[in-house]
């Protein structure tokens, strides 16, 4: 028994003939007749009586037709409900996400990580842009974007902040740097060497500076323009060093440099967080949060 058979039978009982039912359902009379006959055969019960003028239900067929009509009505309601949900997803499923990006110091989240969102939520149109962390937060505060991945937490009123992961910092030096032969470095090892100023002024600058001071290093930073060539020159010609995220792309960006991990007792970790408007009315934002939390779990498991 299937839905088409029920439709054919109910329409036949309502119209009184196979031909009239076929016209109503936009199928052939033979299809309707075959469907009703198959239904009776599968149920092993007589549902209708054929006369020279019309087709009438048997006593059981009359009860069966009434219940079948209720079932078909419920099916139509379910289809309408699903269609309404589909339309709502297509119309309301949109969000914008600003992602903290460092052009010279390495990144934890890459575009290929976020590309999987479309597969997970095909009805949500997620617009993604990449900016410095401070710019991402400012865009969220101004209502330019619905959510932002930022470096460090924010305590701004009206903004929720969810920690996605924490990543350790390493030290990047040139291959001919005096520290390059070490397997790892302590903060004290950096004494006397030029250090590039942290890029993120809102969070990382204070965190790193305070950590260095606690370890007895009063850093005299060198400010670098946000360009690869300036960073390469600082490493190769100035015997400088700077803190970076452990990004595989650093090998391509700095082929003559080496990334040194920091010893456990001096380790610095930086939180990467998702920020969005408190009590947001955008139904797509919780989907973005759910995806990013899962993505961060994978990054922690396989990369950090």
């Amino acid at each position: 028994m299937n839905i088409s058979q029920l439709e054919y039978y109910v329409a036949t009982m309502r119209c009184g003939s196979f031909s009239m039912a076929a016209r109503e359902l936009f199928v052939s009379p033979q299809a309707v007749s075959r469907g009703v006959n198959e239904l009776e055969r599968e149920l092993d019960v007589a549902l209708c009586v054929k006369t020279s003028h019309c087709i009438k239900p048997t006593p059981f067929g009359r009860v069966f037709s009434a219940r079948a009509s209720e079932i078909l009505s419920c099916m139509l309601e379910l289809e309408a409900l699903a269609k309404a949900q589909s339309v709502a997803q297509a119309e309301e499923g949109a969000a914008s996400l600003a992602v903290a990006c460092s052009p010279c110091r390495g990144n934890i989240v890459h575009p290929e990580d976020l590309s999987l969102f479309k597969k997970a939520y095909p009805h949500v149109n997620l617009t993604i842009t990449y900016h410095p962390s401070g710019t991402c937060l400012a865009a969220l505060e101004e209502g330019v974007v619905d959510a932002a991945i930022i470096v460090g937490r924010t305590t701004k009123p009206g903004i929720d902040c969810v920690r996605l992961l924490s990543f350790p910092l390493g030290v990047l030096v040139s291959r001919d740097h005096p520290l390059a032969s070490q397997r790892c470095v302590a903060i004290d090892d950096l004494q006397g060497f030029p250090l590039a100023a942290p890029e993120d002024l809102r969070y990382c600058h204070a965190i790193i500076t305070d950590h260095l001071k606690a370890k007895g290093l009063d850093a005299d930073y060198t400010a670098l323009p946000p360009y690869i060539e300036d960073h390469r020159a600082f490493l190769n010609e100035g015997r400088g060093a700077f803190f970076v995220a452990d990004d595989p792309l650093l090998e391509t960006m700095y082929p003559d440099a080496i990334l040194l991990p920091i010893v456990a007792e001096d380790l610095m970790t930086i939180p990467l967080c998702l920020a969005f408007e408190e009590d947001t009315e955008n139904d797509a934002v919780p989907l973005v949060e759910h995806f990013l939390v899962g993505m961060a779990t994978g990054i922690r498991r396989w990369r950090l």
Side-chain angles (χ1 to χ4, degrees):
M1 181 171 59
N2 56 50
I3 297 299
S4 294
Q5 291 172 338
L6 293 180
E7 288 179 330
Y8 293 161
Y9 176 70
V10 170
T12 299
M13 295 305 98
R14 182 172 59 251
C15 297
S17 72
F18 291 141
S19 59
M20 292 294 292
R23 188 177 295 114
E24 181 177 294
L25 297 173
F26 298 98
V27 296
S28 68
Q30 293 79 8
V32 175
S33 176
R34 185 169 54 250
V36 173
N37 290 334
E38 289 174 352
L39 181 61
E40 288 184 305
R41 187 167 55 252
E42 290 176 16
L43 297 177
D44 194 23
V45 65
L47 296 174
C48 56
V49 177
K50 304 175 183 67
T51 69
S52 58
H53 300 291
C54 66
I55 301 175
K56 296 181 178 181
T58 64
F60 174 78
R62 187 174 293 106
V63 176
F64 186 88
S65 178
R67 295 299 301 274
S69 296
E70 294 175 4
I71 291 172
L72 292 174
S73 178
C74 289
M75 290 295 298
L76 290 174
E77 291 178 5
L78 288 175
E79 289 178 358
L81 180 63
K83 184 175 292 186
Q85 177 63 20
S86 177
V87 171
Q89 287 178 331
E91 292 180 349
E92 299 176 11
S96 53
L97 175 68
V99 180
C101 175
S102 170
C104 303
R105 308 289 176 92
N107 298 288
I108 297 298
V109 176
H110 297 109
E112 53 267 29
D113 298 316
L114 298 169
S115 66
L116 299 176
F117 180 87
K118 189 63 178 177
K119 294 182 180 179
Y121 301 100
H123 297 293
V124 178
N125 181 23
L126 180 62
T127 302
I128 303 172
T129 55
Y130 298 86
H131 312 278
S133 180
T135 302
C136 292
L137 181 58
L140 176 63
E141 293 172 348
E142 294 296 326
V144 177
V145 297
D146 297 302
I149 297 179
I150 59 174
V151 174
R153 296 190 61 84
T154 179
T155 57
K156 293 291 184 71
I159 294 180
D160 280 338
C161 190
V162 177
R163 189 183 73 86
L164 298 174
L165 55 83
S166 291
F167 61 92
L169 293 178
V171 176
L172 198 70
V173 297
S174 66
R175 293 186 180 275
D176 59 359
H177 192 281
L179 298 177
S181 60
Q182 299 185 191
R183 297 184 60 182
C184 54
V185 295
I187 296 300
D188 189 59
D189 295 331
L190 300 175
Q191 291 279 5
F193 294 110
L195 279 179
E199 282 186 319
D200 178 55
L201 293 177
R202 183 190 69 86
Y203 185 86
C204 288
H205 193 286
I207 292 296
I208 293 174
T209 301
D210 290 346
H211 186 81
L212 297 181
K213 286 183 178 180
K215 296 294 180 178
L217 177 59
D218 190 8
D220 183 14
Y221 293 129
T222 299
L224 296 180
Y227 305 113
I228 292 292
E229 291 303 321
D230 293 280
H231 281 66
R232 287 174 179 168
F234 181 71
L235 292 177
N236 299 330
E237 301 169 14
R239 297 179 66 189
F242 47 80
F243 296 106
V244 295
D246 188 0
D247 184 348
L249 294 180
L250 290 173
E251 295 182 8
T252 302
M253 296 162 61
Y254 303 103
D256 298 323
I258 185 171
L259 175 62
L260 300 174
I262 298 174
V263 296
E265 55 268 29
D266 289 349
L267 187 64
M268 288 182 284
T269 59
I270 302 296
L272 196 66
C273 300
L274 174 67
F276 50 89
E277 183 182 356
E278 189 178 36
D279 300 325
T280 177
E281 296 182 357
N282 188 334
D283 292 336
V285 171
L287 302 181
V288 173
E289 178 186 1
H290 182 267
F291 171 81
L292 293 177
V293 170
M295 179 201 71
T297 300
I299 291 176
R300 288 197 303 268
R301 181 176 302 168
W302 301 112
R303 297 189 203 165
L304 301 180

